[in-house]
Amino acid sequence: CKNLTIKKLVVGEDFQLGNPKAHLKAYELQEHLSSYSKDTKVVITKAIIDQYNSVISSSRIRQLIIQGKMDVVHSLLGREYLLDLGLTPSQFSGSSMLIKAEDVKQLLPSNGKFTGFWVEDNIKASIEVDANRLIIYPYPKSTAQNKTLAIG
């Protein structure tokens, strides 16, 4: 935090940083961050409510991803859920890409089959997730360096 160069941090009114036993609430952030940077301004926003009168929060979105409800995730985010697989070790079998689930640094949906596309090439993909691996078909060769997969 000593090299913190954040000018503005926008958080929801129910924001918490840390674990449940030791955390900062949204209204405590300004004081905490001012010890690292006098220029950082914390903006606290009101909760955003969806069409069903439920709060849209990162916790809710993470839970929906875990449940594999990618259509709901897409509607709440306003876009597909993106997986950055650029530095993830992978193997290839034909035109499929195989990745160990433990190597993916982002949250994966629950076991199941999903559709998506390779962002860099706009090529549709089928995605199969289980506890051990992620299988993506097809895997375009032109995506060798930039591997961003949109699920939703």
Side-chain angles (χ1 to χ4, degrees):
C1 281
K2 294 183 191 252
N3 296 323
L4 192 62
T5 57
I6 298 171
K7 297 291 181 193
K8 186 186 290 186
L9 180 63
V10 180
V11 297
E13 60 190 357
D14 63 345
F15 175 84
Q16 292 184 24
L17 176 66
N19 64 51
K21 291 183 181 180
H23 63 272
L24 289 172
K25 294 191 180 287
Y27 63 86
E28 299 169 315
L29 277 175
Q30 185 70 61
E31 182 179 341
H32 179 74
L33 291 175
S34 66
S35 64
Y36 298 102
S37 172
K38 302 290 183 209
D39 297 330
T40 302
K41 178 173 173 48
V42 175
V43 177
I44 301 173
T45 64
K46 297 274 186 207
I48 300 172
I49 308 297
D50 68 10
Q51 69 268 28
Y52 304 108
N53 211 27
S54 296
V55 174
I56 299 174
S57 68
S58 55
S59 298
R60 180 175 170 208
I61 291 171
R62 282 191 298 271
Q63 190 61 41
L64 289 165
I65 291 168
I66 291 168
Q67 294 170 359
K69 297 181 178 178
M70 302 312 288
D71 54 335
V72 181
V73 170
H74 181 263
S75 70
L76 295 178
L77 290 175
R79 61 169 173 78
E80 290 84 4
Y81 177 62
L82 301 176
L83 285 178
D84 181 358
L85 303 173
L87 299 176
T88 307
S90 53
Q91 298 175 356
F92 302 93
S93 175
S95 59
S96 294
M97 178 181 198
L98 303 128
I99 300 173
K100 290 181 185 175
E102 65 190 38
D103 289 337
V104 179
K105 303 300 181 215
Q106 291 171 259
L107 191 60
L108 287 175
S110 63
N111 296 355
K113 295 183 179 185
F114 306 92
T115 59
F117 64 92
W118 291 103
V119 173
E120 292 82 7
D121 299 309
N122 198 27
I123 295 175
K124 289 184 181 183
S126 295
I127 303 127
E128 187 174 334
V129 180
D130 67 34
N132 300 313
R133 64 184 179 176
L134 179 67
I135 303 170
I136 308 159
Y137 175 86
Y139 176 72
K141 303 298 183 223
S142 62
T143 315
Q145 298 302 315
N146 300 316
K147 297 186 281 190
T148 306
L149 184 66
I151 305 175

